[in-house]
Amino acid sequence: MKKSLIVGVAAGAVVLFALVWAAAPVLAAQALIRAAEAGDENKIERLVDFPSLRQSLKDELNAELAAQLRRDPRMAESGLGGLGLILAPMLVSGAVDAVVTPEVVARMVTTAEAPDPTVRDQPEPGDAVDEDDIHQSWGYRDFNAFAVTLTDRDRPEQRLALILERRGLFTWKLAAVDIQNEAGA
């Protein structure tokens, strides 16, 4: 009797551990979304790995900019296209370092748009955002990466995936983005 009780308790503990372990990124993503909707910058700072997020955003924006320059026939034919490809990473890097703040992360989460460091006019903090227009899909990308893909129903060809990465056994932080733009593909 005691042996079966011990085995049952151990099996229950293992199942409970597995459930909590699997649910941890979902809970972290929900906390990030709630903090963004509430404008809680302190909570956003705790849920985001800003150096990793900035580097990921730089990589994504540089790749998008390079693709746009290659698609533009005027830039491909002129010598300025090559110069643009050389200078763009430096400009994007400095702009991303200055632009990516908890407020901008909140805007990314609530609008499903990556920040554009080339645009100076950002929405005013009081501008209304209709969260009902943002579709969310959730899923593991791999053992240590979980994605929340955001799509604005008005722009279904543009998606922004927020990538949470494991930091310890149960801790997850927003560490990367994946800008998926089908319009330019």
Side-chain angles (χ1 to χ4, degrees):
M1 172 91 169
K2 282 188 174 188
K3 185 176 180 181
S4 64
L5 180 63
I6 293 172
V7 169
V9 168
V14 168
V15 168
L16 181 62
F17 174 83
L19 286 173
V20 171
W21 183 85
V26 174
L27 296 174
Q30 288 175 340
L32 177 66
I33 291 168
R34 280 193 306 273
E37 289 171 351
D40 187 347
E41 292 183 14
N42 291 328
K43 184 143 190 164
I44 291 171
E45 283 186 37
R46 289 191 304 272
L47 295 169
V48 176
D49 178 352
F50 279 99
S52 295
L53 179 63
R54 286 183 180 110
Q55 186 57 51
S56 171
L57 197 52
K58 289 175 194 178
D59 295 343
E60 288 289 319
L61 292 175
N62 282 328
E64 180 67 24
L65 187 58
Q68 287 176 359
L69 288 174
R70 281 194 289 279
R71 285 190 304 263
D72 188 348
R74 294 172 296 160
M75 295 304 271
E77 294 170 2
S78 75
L80 294 177
L83 182 62
L85 285 172
I86 292 170
L87 295 177
M90 291 183 289
L91 297 173
V92 168
S93 177
V96 166
D97 286 339
V99 158
V100 178
T101 63
E103 180 183 330
V104 170
V105 170
R107 193 173 315 123
M108 284 174 31
V109 171
T110 58
T111 64
E113 291 181 10
D116 185 351
T118 62
V119 176
R120 281 290 205 216
D121 296 320
Q122 297 295 337
E124 294 297 318
D127 285 355
V129 176
D130 187 3
E131 283 101 16
D132 293 337
D133 281 348
I134 306 298
H135 173 73
Q136 302 171 1
S137 59
W138 307 62
Y140 279 93
R141 286 214 168 165
D142 62 36
F143 191 71
N144 293 315
F146 185 84
V148 178
T149 304
L150 306 171
T151 308
D152 187 337
R153 295 184 200 279
D154 296 333
R155 291 175 280 117
E157 73 284 352
Q158 296 177 351
R159 292 184 300 281
L160 177 67
L162 306 172
I163 313 293
L164 284 80
E165 293 180 354
R166 184 182 307 281
R167 301 288 195 258
L169 197 56
F170 298 109
T171 304
W172 292 77
K173 287 193 172 203
L174 175 61
V177 293
D178 183 6
I179 301 170
Q180 304 161 3
N181 186 355
E182 294 174 4

